[in-house]
Amino acid sequence: MTKKVIGRIDIVDFPKLGLNHIDVKIDTGAYTSAIHCSEIIEEGESLRCIFNSEVHKNFGKTEIVFNEFWRTNVKSSNGFKENRYKIKSEVIFFGKSYKINLTLSTREDMKFPVLIGRQFLKRKFLVDVDVENVSFNLKK
């Protein structure tokens, strides 16, 4: 399988989440991928998530209910462990839809609302840190 080359940042769509043209940081230092979620409410067997941000563009108020979710421990770059909710979704790179697992985190204070980690990148992509928005620019 030939791996596609992507840059250190890109702009992607998450169709199942109703989020389009979202800035993402490709983070080979992170194992898991993470997405900004402003509010998480566990209601019985479901998880109600509100994706909203006044800081991150294209994060209008979108509410999604997940019937499939779980929790996982994530070790942040500063060494602290955090137990987060994890969901399954889809992301579009190079016009192709890929399945992706995303941990939910408040990323309001971060430059990028989404981190794409190694778990998703492996066997699909090579990262060239000298380029940006490769997938997005090929859509034009």
Side-chain angles (χ1 to χ4, degrees), residues 19-46:
L19 299 170
N20 297 305
H21 290 85
I22 303 300
D23 294 324
V24 298
K25 178 180 178 185
I26 308 302
D27 189 350
T28 60
Y31 179 70
T32 57
S33 298
I35 190 166
H36 171 72
C37 187
S38 55
E39 194 172 346
I40 303 167
I41 303 151
E42 192 171 346
E43 299 172 324
E45 300 293 315
S46 62

PDB file of all heavy atoms in Angstrom, residues 19-46:
ATOM      1  N   LEU A  19     -18.980  18.815  10.799  1.00  0.00           N
ATOM      2  CA  LEU A  19     -17.900  19.802  10.891  1.00  0.00           C
ATOM      3  C   LEU A  19     -17.093  19.788   9.601  1.00  0.00           C
ATOM      4  O   LEU A  19     -16.552  18.753   9.205  1.00  0.00           O
ATOM      5  CB  LEU A  19     -16.995  19.480  12.084  1.00  0.00           C
ATOM      6  CG  LEU A  19     -17.661  19.505  13.453  1.00  0.00           C
ATOM      7  CD1 LEU A  19     -16.732  18.941  14.513  1.00  0.00           C
ATOM      8  CD2 LEU A  19     -18.101  20.913  13.814  1.00  0.00           C
ATOM      9  N   ASN A  20     -17.008  20.950   8.952  1.00  0.00           N
ATOM     10  CA  ASN A  20     -16.310  21.057   7.671  1.00  0.00           C
ATOM     11  C   ASN A  20     -15.252  22.149   7.721  1.00  0.00           C
ATOM     12  O   ASN A  20     -15.405  23.140   8.431  1.00  0.00           O
ATOM     13  CB  ASN A  20     -17.308  21.355   6.553  1.00  0.00           C
ATOM     14  CG  ASN A  20     -18.309  20.233   6.387  1.00  0.00           C
ATOM     15  OD1 ASN A  20     -17.925  19.091   6.197  1.00  0.00           O
ATOM     16  ND2 ASN A  20     -19.574  20.544   6.496  1.00  0.00           N
ATOM     17  N   HIS A  21     -14.211  21.940   6.924  1.00  0.00           N
ATOM     18  CA  HIS A  21     -13.090  22.883   6.840  1.00  0.00           C
ATOM     19  C   HIS A  21     -12.490  23.148   8.226  1.00  0.00           C
ATOM     20  O   HIS A  21     -12.333  24.287   8.649  1.00  0.00           O
ATOM     21  CB  HIS A  21     -13.515  24.190   6.164  1.00  0.00           C
ATOM     22  CG  HIS A  21     -13.789  24.029   4.713  1.00  0.00           C
ATOM     23  ND1 HIS A  21     -14.997  23.610   4.247  1.00  0.00           N
ATOM     24  CD2 HIS A  21     -12.991  24.210   3.641  1.00  0.00           C
ATOM     25  CE1 HIS A  21     -14.952  23.548   2.931  1.00  0.00           C
ATOM     26  NE2 HIS A  21     -13.747  23.906   2.536  1.00  0.00           N
ATOM     27  N   ILE A  22     -12.134  22.070   8.912  1.00  0.00           N
ATOM     28  CA  ILE A  22     -11.596  22.150  10.266  1.00  0.00           C
ATOM     29  C   ILE A  22     -10.066  22.089  10.218  1.00  0.00           C
ATOM     30  O   ILE A  22      -9.491  21.194   9.593  1.00  0.00           O
ATOM     31  CB  ILE A  22     -12.153  21.003  11.147  1.00  0.00           C
ATOM     32  CG1 ILE A  22     -13.690  21.041  11.180  1.00  0.00           C
ATOM     33  CG2 ILE A  22     -11.551  21.057  12.543  1.00  0.00           C
ATOM     34  CD1 ILE A  22     -14.287  22.312  11.739  1.00  0.00           C
ATOM     35  N   ASP A  23      -9.420  23.037  10.880  1.00  0.00           N
ATOM     36  CA  ASP A  23      -7.959  23.045  10.975  1.00  0.00           C
ATOM     37  C   ASP A  23      -7.502  21.911  11.875  1.00  0.00           C
ATOM     38  O   ASP A  23      -8.012  21.753  12.991  1.00  0.00           O
ATOM     39  CB  ASP A  23      -7.471  24.367  11.565  1.00  0.00           C
ATOM     40  CG  ASP A  23      -7.747  25.555  10.663  1.00  0.00           C
ATOM     41  OD1 ASP A  23      -7.667  25.396   9.429  1.00  0.00           O
ATOM     42  OD2 ASP A  23      -8.026  26.648  11.194  1.00  0.00           O
ATOM     43  N   VAL A  24      -6.545  21.111  11.382  1.00  0.00           N
ATOM     44  CA  VAL A  24      -6.005  20.015  12.179  1.00  0.00           C
ATOM     45  C   VAL A  24      -4.492  20.100  12.204  1.00  0.00           C
ATOM     46  O   VAL A  24      -3.858  20.543  11.250  1.00  0.00           O
ATOM     47  CB  VAL A  24      -6.442  18.623  11.656  1.00  0.00           C
ATOM     48  CG1 VAL A  24      -7.949  18.462  11.712  1.00  0.00           C
ATOM     49  CG2 VAL A  24      -5.921  18.354  10.261  1.00  0.00           C
ATOM     50  N   LYS A  25      -3.927  19.667  13.327  1.00  0.00           N
ATOM     51  CA  LYS A  25      -2.480  19.560  13.464  1.00  0.00           C
ATOM     52  C   LYS A  25      -2.126  18.085  13.402  1.00  0.00           C
ATOM     53  O   LYS A  25      -2.715  17.271  14.119  1.00  0.00           O
ATOM     54  CB  LYS A  25      -2.018  20.154  14.795  1.00  0.00           C
ATOM     55  CG  LYS A  25      -0.524  20.038  15.010  1.00  0.00           C
ATOM     56  CD  LYS A  25      -0.125  20.633  16.344  1.00  0.00           C
ATOM     57  CE  LYS A  25       1.364  20.467  16.563  1.00  0.00           C
ATOM     58  NZ  LYS A  25       1.753  20.942  17.899  1.00  0.00           N
ATOM     59  N   ILE A  26      -1.198  17.747  12.544  1.00  0.00           N
ATOM     60  CA  ILE A  26      -0.711  16.383  12.441  1.00  0.00           C
ATOM     61  C   ILE A  26       0.373  16.244  13.515  1.00  0.00           C
ATOM     62  O   ILE A  26       1.380  16.940  13.478  1.00  0.00           O
ATOM     63  CB  ILE A  26      -0.142  16.095  11.034  1.00  0.00           C
ATOM     64  CG1 ILE A  26      -1.147  16.488   9.940  1.00  0.00           C
ATOM     65  CG2 ILE A  26       0.294  14.638  10.936  1.00  0.00           C
ATOM     66  CD1 ILE A  26      -2.496  15.812  10.016  1.00  0.00           C
ATOM     67  N   ASP A  27       0.134  15.367  14.486  1.00  0.00           N
ATOM     68  CA  ASP A  27       0.997  15.290  15.662  1.00  0.00           C
ATOM     69  C   ASP A  27       1.551  13.880  15.822  1.00  0.00           C
ATOM     70  O   ASP A  27       0.921  13.018  16.436  1.00  0.00           O
ATOM     71  CB  ASP A  27       0.202  15.702  16.900  1.00  0.00           C
ATOM     72  CG  ASP A  27       1.062  15.853  18.137  1.00  0.00           C
ATOM     73  OD1 ASP A  27       2.246  15.460  18.088  1.00  0.00           O
ATOM     74  OD2 ASP A  27       0.558  16.351  19.150  1.00  0.00           O
ATOM     75  N   THR A  28       2.746  13.654  15.296  1.00  0.00           N
ATOM     76  CA  THR A  28       3.353  12.325  15.392  1.00  0.00           C
ATOM     77  C   THR A  28       3.819  12.015  16.808  1.00  0.00           C
ATOM     78  O   THR A  28       4.157  10.882  17.108  1.00  0.00           O
ATOM     79  CB  THR A  28       4.538  12.179  14.421  1.00  0.00           C
ATOM     80  OG1 THR A  28       5.524  13.171  14.736  1.00  0.00           O
ATOM     81  CG2 THR A  28       4.085  12.336  12.977  1.00  0.00           C
ATOM     82  N   GLY A  29       3.806  13.004  17.687  1.00  0.00           N
ATOM     83  CA  GLY A  29       4.145  12.774  19.086  1.00  0.00           C
ATOM     84  C   GLY A  29       2.969  12.256  19.895  1.00  0.00           C
ATOM     85  O   GLY A  29       3.133  11.742  20.992  1.00  0.00           O
ATOM     86  N   ALA A  30       1.772  12.398  19.347  1.00  0.00           N
ATOM     87  CA  ALA A  30       0.559  11.937  20.034  1.00  0.00           C
ATOM     88  C   ALA A  30       0.157  10.575  19.491  1.00  0.00           C
ATOM     89  O   ALA A  30       0.168  10.357  18.278  1.00  0.00           O
ATOM     90  CB  ALA A  30      -0.573  12.930  19.816  1.00  0.00           C
ATOM     91  N   TYR A  31      -0.217   9.667  20.370  1.00  0.00           N
ATOM     92  CA  TYR A  31      -0.686   8.355  19.915  1.00  0.00           C
ATOM     93  C   TYR A  31      -2.133   8.456  19.431  1.00  0.00           C
ATOM     94  O   TYR A  31      -2.466   8.013  18.345  1.00  0.00           O
ATOM     95  CB  TYR A  31      -0.567   7.319  21.034  1.00  0.00           C
ATOM     96  CG  TYR A  31      -1.058   5.954  20.603  1.00  0.00           C
ATOM     97  CD1 TYR A  31      -0.352   5.201  19.673  1.00  0.00           C
ATOM     98  CD2 TYR A  31      -2.247   5.434  21.111  1.00  0.00           C
ATOM     99  CE1 TYR A  31      -0.809   3.958  19.261  1.00  0.00           C
ATOM    100  CE2 TYR A  31      -2.713   4.194  20.702  1.00  0.00           C
ATOM    101  CZ  TYR A  31      -1.985   3.464  19.771  1.00  0.00           C
ATOM    102  OH  TYR A  31      -2.455   2.250  19.361  1.00  0.00           O
ATOM    103  N   THR A  32      -2.994   9.053  20.242  1.00  0.00           N
ATOM    104  CA  THR A  32      -4.411   9.144  19.888  1.00  0.00           C
ATOM    105  C   THR A  32      -4.718  10.477  19.221  1.00  0.00           C
ATOM    106  O   THR A  32      -3.966  11.444  19.343  1.00  0.00           O
ATOM    107  CB  THR A  32      -5.304   9.009  21.138  1.00  0.00           C
ATOM    108  OG1 THR A  32      -4.940  10.016  22.074  1.00  0.00           O
ATOM    109  CG2 THR A  32      -5.163   7.649  21.776  1.00  0.00           C
ATOM    110  N   SER A  33      -5.828  10.524  18.519  1.00  0.00           N
ATOM    111  CA  SER A  33      -6.321  11.759  17.923  1.00  0.00           C
ATOM    112  C   SER A  33      -7.337  12.365  18.880  1.00  0.00           C
ATOM    113  O   SER A  33      -8.047  11.649  19.587  1.00  0.00           O
ATOM    114  CB  SER A  33      -6.978  11.466  16.571  1.00  0.00           C
ATOM    115  OG  SER A  33      -6.032  10.913  15.671  1.00  0.00           O
ATOM    116  N   ALA A  34      -7.405  13.689  18.892  1.00  0.00           N
ATOM    117  CA  ALA A  34      -8.302  14.382  19.818  1.00  0.00           C
ATOM    118  C   ALA A  34      -9.046  15.490  19.088  1.00  0.00           C
ATOM    119  O   ALA A  34      -8.502  16.128  18.187  1.00  0.00           O
ATOM    120  CB  ALA A  34      -7.504  14.976  20.977  1.00  0.00           C
ATOM    121  N   ILE A  35     -10.299  15.717  19.502  1.00  0.00           N
ATOM    122  CA  ILE A  35     -11.112  16.772  18.920  1.00  0.00           C
ATOM    123  C   ILE A  35     -11.718  17.621  20.035  1.00  0.00           C
ATOM    124  O   ILE A  35     -12.054  17.110  21.106  1.00  0.00           O
ATOM    125  CB  ILE A  35     -12.224  16.197  18.002  1.00  0.00           C
ATOM    126  CG1 ILE A  35     -12.917  17.313  17.212  1.00  0.00           C
ATOM    127  CG2 ILE A  35     -13.211  15.350  18.784  1.00  0.00           C
ATOM    128  CD1 ILE A  35     -13.773  16.805  16.053  1.00  0.00           C
ATOM    129  N   HIS A  36     -11.853  18.908  19.745  1.00  0.00           N
ATOM    130  CA  HIS A  36     -12.452  19.817  20.718  1.00  0.00           C
ATOM    131  C   HIS A  36     -13.940  19.510  20.878  1.00  0.00           C
ATOM    132  O   HIS A  36     -14.675  19.388  19.901  1.00  0.00           O
ATOM    133  CB  HIS A  36     -12.282  21.270  20.265  1.00  0.00           C
ATOM    134  CG  HIS A  36     -13.059  22.236  21.095  1.00  0.00           C
ATOM    135  ND1 HIS A  36     -12.702  22.554  22.385  1.00  0.00           N
ATOM    136  CD2 HIS A  36     -14.185  22.929  20.831  1.00  0.00           C
ATOM    137  CE1 HIS A  36     -13.578  23.413  22.868  1.00  0.00           C
ATOM    138  NE2 HIS A  36     -14.497  23.653  21.946  1.00  0.00           N
ATOM    139  N   CYS A  37     -14.364  19.378  22.104  1.00  0.00           N
ATOM    140  CA  CYS A  37     -15.773  19.177  22.422  1.00  0.00           C
ATOM    141  C   CYS A  37     -16.075  20.072  23.619  1.00  0.00           C
ATOM    142  O   CYS A  37     -15.445  19.948  24.667  1.00  0.00           O
ATOM    143  CB  CYS A  37     -16.041  17.715  22.753  1.00  0.00           C
ATOM    144  SG  CYS A  37     -17.785  17.331  22.968  1.00  0.00           S
ATOM    145  N   SER A  38     -17.015  20.995  23.449  1.00  0.00           N
ATOM    146  CA  SER A  38     -17.260  21.992  24.492  1.00  0.00           C
ATOM    147  C   SER A  38     -18.112  21.469  25.634  1.00  0.00           C
ATOM    148  O   SER A  38     -17.997  21.964  26.756  1.00  0.00           O
ATOM    149  CB  SER A  38     -17.906  23.242  23.883  1.00  0.00           C
ATOM    150  OG  SER A  38     -19.065  22.899  23.170  1.00  0.00           O
ATOM    151  N   GLU A  39     -18.943  20.460  25.358  1.00  0.00           N
ATOM    152  CA  GLU A  39     -19.794  19.927  26.424  1.00  0.00           C
ATOM    153  C   GLU A  39     -20.065  18.452  26.175  1.00  0.00           C
ATOM    154  O   GLU A  39     -20.404  18.047  25.069  1.00  0.00           O
ATOM    155  CB  GLU A  39     -21.113  20.702  26.470  1.00  0.00           C
ATOM    156  CG  GLU A  39     -21.920  20.472  27.713  1.00  0.00           C
ATOM    157  CD  GLU A  39     -23.128  21.395  27.807  1.00  0.00           C
ATOM    158  OE1 GLU A  39     -23.206  22.383  27.065  1.00  0.00           O
ATOM    159  OE2 GLU A  39     -23.999  21.097  28.628  1.00  0.00           O
ATOM    160  N   ILE A  40     -19.927  17.647  27.235  1.00  0.00           N
ATOM    161  CA  ILE A  40     -20.148  16.204  27.158  1.00  0.00           C
ATOM    162  C   ILE A  40     -21.113  15.818  28.270  1.00  0.00           C
ATOM    163  O   ILE A  40     -20.854  16.098  29.437  1.00  0.00           O
ATOM    164  CB  ILE A  40     -18.831  15.423  27.333  1.00  0.00           C
ATOM    165  CG1 ILE A  40     -17.796  15.858  26.291  1.00  0.00           C
ATOM    166  CG2 ILE A  40     -19.078  13.927  27.273  1.00  0.00           C
ATOM    167  CD1 ILE A  40     -16.396  15.376  26.578  1.00  0.00           C
ATOM    168  N   ILE A  41     -22.222  15.172  27.890  1.00  0.00           N
ATOM    169  CA  ILE A  41     -23.222  14.766  28.871  1.00  0.00           C
ATOM    170  C   ILE A  41     -23.525  13.289  28.661  1.00  0.00           C
ATOM    171  O   ILE A  41     -24.013  12.894  27.601  1.00  0.00           O
ATOM    172  CB  ILE A  41     -24.515  15.595  28.719  1.00  0.00           C
ATOM    173  CG1 ILE A  41     -24.189  17.082  28.853  1.00  0.00           C
ATOM    174  CG2 ILE A  41     -25.561  15.168  29.741  1.00  0.00           C
ATOM    175  CD1 ILE A  41     -25.106  17.990  28.108  1.00  0.00           C
ATOM    176  N   GLU A  42     -23.212  12.477  29.685  1.00  0.00           N
ATOM    177  CA  GLU A  42     -23.527  11.057  29.613  1.00  0.00           C
ATOM    178  C   GLU A  42     -24.941  10.872  30.121  1.00  0.00           C
ATOM    179  O   GLU A  42     -25.267  11.253  31.248  1.00  0.00           O
ATOM    180  CB  GLU A  42     -22.538  10.243  30.445  1.00  0.00           C
ATOM    181  CG  GLU A  42     -22.639   8.767  30.181  1.00  0.00           C
ATOM    182  CD  GLU A  42     -21.513   7.972  30.834  1.00  0.00           C
ATOM    183  OE1 GLU A  42     -20.511   8.549  31.278  1.00  0.00           O
ATOM    184  OE2 GLU A  42     -21.667   6.738  30.873  1.00  0.00           O
ATOM    185  N   GLU A  43     -25.794  10.318  29.264  1.00  0.00           N
ATOM    186  CA  GLU A  43     -27.207  10.103  29.595  1.00  0.00           C
ATOM    187  C   GLU A  43     -27.537   8.635  29.404  1.00  0.00           C
ATOM    188  O   GLU A  43     -27.832   8.200  28.296  1.00  0.00           O
ATOM    189  CB  GLU A  43     -28.100  10.971  28.697  1.00  0.00           C
ATOM    190  CG  GLU A  43     -27.859  12.453  28.856  1.00  0.00           C
ATOM    191  CD  GLU A  43     -28.611  13.299  27.834  1.00  0.00           C
ATOM    192  OE1 GLU A  43     -28.760  12.866  26.666  1.00  0.00           O
ATOM    193  OE2 GLU A  43     -29.049  14.397  28.208  1.00  0.00           O
ATOM    194  N   GLY A  44     -27.474   7.870  30.485  1.00  0.00           N
ATOM    195  CA  GLY A  44     -27.749   6.434  30.397  1.00  0.00           C
ATOM    196  C   GLY A  44     -26.725   5.748  29.525  1.00  0.00           C
ATOM    197  O   GLY A  44     -25.539   5.756  29.801  1.00  0.00           O
ATOM    198  N   GLU A  45     -27.200   5.167  28.416  1.00  0.00           N
ATOM    199  CA  GLU A  45     -26.328   4.425  27.494  1.00  0.00           C
ATOM    200  C   GLU A  45     -25.832   5.286  26.336  1.00  0.00           C
ATOM    201  O   GLU A  45     -25.242   4.765  25.396  1.00  0.00           O
ATOM    202  CB  GLU A  45     -27.091   3.214  26.932  1.00  0.00           C
ATOM    203  CG  GLU A  45     -27.558   2.228  27.992  1.00  0.00           C
ATOM    204  CD  GLU A  45     -26.385   1.522  28.663  1.00  0.00           C
ATOM    205  OE1 GLU A  45     -25.464   1.080  27.956  1.00  0.00           O
ATOM    206  OE2 GLU A  45     -26.406   1.430  29.908  1.00  0.00           O
ATOM    207  N   SER A  46     -26.074   6.587  26.374  1.00  0.00           N
ATOM    208  CA  SER A  46     -25.646   7.444  25.275  1.00  0.00           C
ATOM    209  C   SER A  46     -24.812   8.619  25.783  1.00  0.00           C
ATOM    210  O   SER A  46     -24.796   8.931  26.971  1.00  0.00           O
ATOM    211  CB  SER A  46     -26.853   7.948  24.483  1.00  0.00           C
ATOM    212  OG  SER A  46     -27.681   8.734  25.300  1.00  0.00           O
TER     213      SER A  46
END
